[in-house]
Amino acid sequence: MLCLPKRSRARMHPGSLLLISLVALALTSCGKLDPRNVDVDLPKDTPVITETNFDKPLADLGKMTQVYGKRVFIQGKDIVDFTGLSQYSSGEIPHDITEMSKSALNAIGGNVVYIPYSPVFINNQMVTGYSNFQGKYIPDIVLSGGITEFDRGLETRGSNTDFGVTTKPFNVNQSWVPGDTISVDYNQEDQNSVARITLDFNLLDFRTMSGVARMQTVNSINVYKAMADKELGFTIFGPSFGLKGTVKKVQGRHAAIRLLVQTSILQIVGKYLYLPYWKLIPNMQPDQVVLDKIRQDFRNLSQNDKVGEMQTCLYLKGYNVPVTGKIDNQTQAALASFKPGYKSAQGASDTELYVELWSSLGDNLQQVSDRREMLAKAINGSSPPVERVAAAPAKPAPAKAVDKPAANKVATQKPEAKPEPKPAPVEKTSTGPAAVAKTNKEKTATDTKEPTIAKQQNPRDDIAQVLRSQSVTGNKTSAEALINERRMAE
């Protein structure tokens, strides 16, 4: 039997089919793969105003200086990195942060006046004859400090997860398949590290260039660096392919230092002026240096002055309490409303009650500021109220030692002649909130314009501590206007 050969059939290899498809795709897109047509698009961003969480607290501190009647002229020296790591750590931290401190000081406003430190500029002006020190503002205090710590490898933590699975061999006899198993691999790696930056600030007295006791801040901030790496791989009968992702994030050192500078400026200025600055930042603890000073000042007051301080605080908080220096029914009711469980037996001698009342003024600065304006108008006599707040007359001038002819002259005066009132001396002023009731020096001799009720008060029962030397909130007595009072004649 004759067997004829079968007609041979052309078989297409699966691998060849894939190769032909790739070549066809490359040929059709050859024009787009021309290296001479390379291009790149860059994003276009507009400038963005940088805002931090401490911009508002700094502005509120300026408003607080007006509410509590505090004022300071402050100058800043060069604030630099004292660790030396800014030059040997690839610029991880800035070497000079003077401009950051200037911006923070100037952002306070209110009754805080910032004076730049520029000895070279002043010296050049004097040499060239353009200007002298006339009209220049003299600071009260000088801010000095710098970066004192930068610990990069403070703590490093890492974790790693590795997973893989491989199937049993398959019975694959095709020559173009290099393997006969399927496998899956997964890997995840995380690493975190923390560094710490510390900033020290100190205050110096400008006249003596000595440090102001207990006026320093030491604040630290942690900055973090993290890296994550994930990888997923597949192996199917020999060929392998997979997915991999890596991310590395470093917290901005410069941005962290700016927050550190703003926090330290807020703290040291508030401490120097004895203000409840901790009310401006949530969860900040009260400053014991400030509280100790407020307690001491309150204990040194007379009984009438203590009552006047409490009444002034109550009035600023919204209670319609006249500042008379005497405990009356209105004052008792206001204290009971402010602090439930208040015991009237303690009265104005309760130092802790006063501290709580004094610090609570920082809870609502806008309300207190409005009430302070009303109090200032009442004192200045812009309206004739029936019972003016803090309308107690000034104390008469104390008797002075005079020579014999002068004594005879005084004896010949008419009995009804009244002595000239003398303004309260600046060195005996208190730092309590009753400073809001201070009138200008020209107002101390206006006894004839006082209401009848104010005139009938006993001079011994007046509250001299209510009439302070601090400025009253308003355009005419703001720091921008009062700054012109300072001259080089000092």
Side-chain angles (χ1 to χ4, degrees), residues 240-313:
S240 299
F241 62 95
L243 304 173
K244 183 177 181 179
T246 302
V247 62
K248 182 179 180 181
K249 293 185 178 181
V250 179
Q251 185 178 353
R253 264 64 168 173
H254 293 65
I257 291 178
R258 182 179 296 276
L259 295 178
L260 186 60
V261 169
Q262 291 179 331
T263 306
S264 301
I265 292 292
L266 178 70
Q267 182 180 1
I268 200 165
V269 174
K271 180 184 291 188
Y272 176 78
L273 295 177
Y274 297 108
L275 298 172
Y277 64 89
W278 55 88
K279 293 284 187 176
L280 305 177
I281 303 177
N283 302 323
M284 176 173 278
Q285 298 298 320
D287 194 322
Q288 294 303 319
V289 174
V290 176
L291 295 181
D292 291 344
K293 182 65 166 57
I294 299 303
R295 293 188 183 100
Q296 179 183 358
D297 289 346
F298 183 75
R299 294 190 186 103
N300 293 336
L301 297 177
S302 65
Q303 186 68 15
N304 286 353
D305 295 337
K306 290 179 180 179
V307 176
E309 290 284 342
M310 284 194 174
Q311 289 174 331
T312 304
C313 291

Side-chain angles (χ1 to χ4, degrees), residues 392-447:
K395 285 185 177 181
K400 295 182 180 180
V402 296
D403 54 4
K404 190 173 182 180
N408 295 335
K409 183 178 180 181
V410 174
T412 59
Q413 292 179 351
K414 295 181 180 180
E416 62 272 16
K418 295 183 180 180
E420 280 293 326
K422 182 180 180 180
V426 177
E427 60 273 13
K428 294 183 179 180
T429 58
S430 170
T431 57
V436 298
K438 167 68 175 64
T439 59
N440 295 333
K441 294 182 179 180
E442 296 79 12
K443 297 294 182 179
T444 58
T446 58
D447 289 355

Side-chain angles (χ1 to χ4, degrees), residues 311 314 321 326-339 342-348:
Q311 289 174 331
L314 290 171
V321 176
K326 296 180 180 180
I327 291 289
D328 51 17
N329 294 333
Q330 290 177 282
T331 304
Q332 295 282 14
L335 290 174
S337 176
F338 170 74
K339 187 176 181 61
Y342 160 74
K343 298 180 180 179
S344 59
Q346 294 178 342

